Amino acid sequence: MYRVKQVDTTVNLAGFSRWLNGQGVAHRITEEGGFQVIWLEDPAHAEPVLAALDRFMAEPQLRDAVDRQSRSPVFVGGRWQPSPRHAPLVLGIIGFAVIMVWFTAMGQNELAATLMMIDPRDYDWSTMAGRIEALSATLASGQVWRLLTPDFLHFSWTHIIFNSVMLWFLGSQIEWFDGRGRLITLFLVTSVVSNGLQYFVSGPLFGGLSGVVYGILGYCWLSQRSAPRFQFPPALVTFAVVWMVIGFTALPEMLGLGRMANEAHLGGFVAGLALAVILPVRMRRGA
């Protein structure tokens, strides 16, 4: 263990300790000579932990958020562990996506074409002008659902499993704390932006919930800074951004992972950040 900070015994660090446990940070708090001493197992965590401690001690609303987490029925042992009844909308989205994987044979049959932004068999989408014309004609015919349905088109089990896990972990927190209305807004906006950007760059042959997942992650990360309520490791955002950048290189294809929907990831992430700025936060549930 590495000694990183000593704090006066008048400061109650119980909530901060629970928060560190929830973030997966191995630590101990001992008492020595009238002070509390914080020890970390990994010295690499020292800087972010000290920064978080400064905020914890300086911002009453952050301490209140940590206390709410400790009383909440969806936090067990300081960790976010919801049941299906806590996030039925997220569960429904995931369930529908899994059903579509089955019915579209992982994007290999004719039904898959009805979920794409346009039917690729009916239009010449090899140029930007062709894509604009094809999408305009498709929407004019009333097929507005195609702006959203690429989300439910997945091409492998690893694809749907990864997206489902991330959507459940982050989306369930938004549904619980910010409400279903906020989650629906996030889903609709990030879907349209991510799918639209990907379509105009590469055409209709793409799919997946990744754009929505990136949008939700961006929203959670930025909104959390002004109103702490979500629980996720900070490294998750770093990993997601790095992976998004890697996606714009040839590395994924070299590794046999195929071409990634990079523009959908970017569009969703930016849309999520924008919604975090535009939409005011109302702390919906404290326990």
Side-chain angles (χ1 to χ4, degrees):
M1 286 285 186
Y2 296 84
R3 182 189 187 106
V4 295
K5 182 76 172 180
Q6 67 178 33
V7 181
D8 192 271
T9 54
T10 58
V11 178
N12 185 356
L13 292 177
F16 185 68
S17 179
R18 287 193 295 269
W19 180 80
L20 288 178
N21 286 329
Q23 302 299 309
V25 177
H27 70 286
R28 283 192 300 125
I29 298 178
T30 62
E31 186 173 338
E32 297 180 8
F35 290 93
Q36 300 174 89
V37 180
I38 301 176
W39 304 78
L40 296 178
E41 185 174 291
D42 186 351
H45 291 151
E47 185 175 346
V49 166
L50 289 175
L53 178 62
D54 288 342
R55 285 194 63 196
F56 181 83
M57 296 177 65
E59 302 177 23
Q61 69 271 26
L62 181 59
R63 294 195 296 273
D64 291 342
V66 172
D67 289 339
R68 283 195 298 270
Q69 283 189 3
S70 67
R71 299 192 305 269
S72 174
V74 288
F75 284 93
V76 180
R79 294 182 179 276
W80 174 252
Q81 296 184 26
S83 67
R85 67 185 177 86
H86 294 130
L89 178 58
V90 174
L91 191 62
I93 293 172
I94 293 172
F96 185 70
V98 172
I99 290 172
M100 286 299 99
V101 168
W102 179 267
F103 279 110
T104 63
M106 292 188 180
Q108 300 303 311
N109 60 23
E110 292 188 2
L111 178 61
T114 67
L115 301 183
M116 296 178 183
M117 290 280 285
I118 63 169
D119 192 323
R121 300 166 297 184
D122 294 341
Y123 300 96
D124 177 11
W125 46 270
S126 58
T127 64
M128 177 62 74
R131 290 169 198 161
I132 294 175
E133 182 180 351
L135 183 59
S136 298
T138 298
L139 296 180
S141 69
Q143 301 179 61
V144 182
W145 73 80
R146 289 181 180 271
L147 295 173
L148 305 176
T149 50
D151 296 344
F152 301 102
L153 189 60
H154 291 81
F155 305 103
S156 70
W157 283 114
T158 54
H159 191 199
I160 182 63
I161 289 172
F162 177 80
N163 283 340
S164 296
V165 169
M166 291 299 297
L167 183 59
W168 174 251
F169 178 59
L170 295 173
S172 60
Q173 295 190 57
I174 295 174
E175 184 171 354
W176 177 259
F177 288 110
D178 293 0
R180 294 189 187 112
R182 177 64 53 86
L183 180 63
I184 291 172
T185 300
L186 275 165
F187 180 83
L188 293 177
V189 174
T190 58
S191 290
V192 171
V193 173
S194 62
N195 292 336
L197 183 59
Q198 185 65 52
Y199 169 75
F200 286 122
V201 171
S202 67
L205 305 181
F206 69 91
L209 283 162
S210 301
V212 173
V213 168
Y214 264 92
I216 285 176
L217 178 61
Y219 170 83
C220 287
W221 174 72
L222 190 55
S223 182
Q224 173 87 340
R225 299 174 71 86
S226 60
R229 61 207 183 279
F230 303 129
Q231 183 186 94
F232 56 90
L236 179 61
V237 180
T238 302
F239 170 80
V241 172
V242 169
W243 184 246
M244 180 168 56
V245 172
I246 291 175
F248 282 96
T249 71
L251 184 59
E253 291 185 83
M254 292 172 59
L255 296 175
L257 299 177
R259 189 179 184 281
M260 296 167 56
N262 306 305
E263 288 76 16
H265 299 168
L266 178 60
F269 190 66
V270 172
L273 294 176
L275 288 172
V277 174
I278 295 170
L279 297 179
V281 174
R282 298 183 181 87
M283 298 303 291
R284 179 170 172 266
R285 304 192 191 201

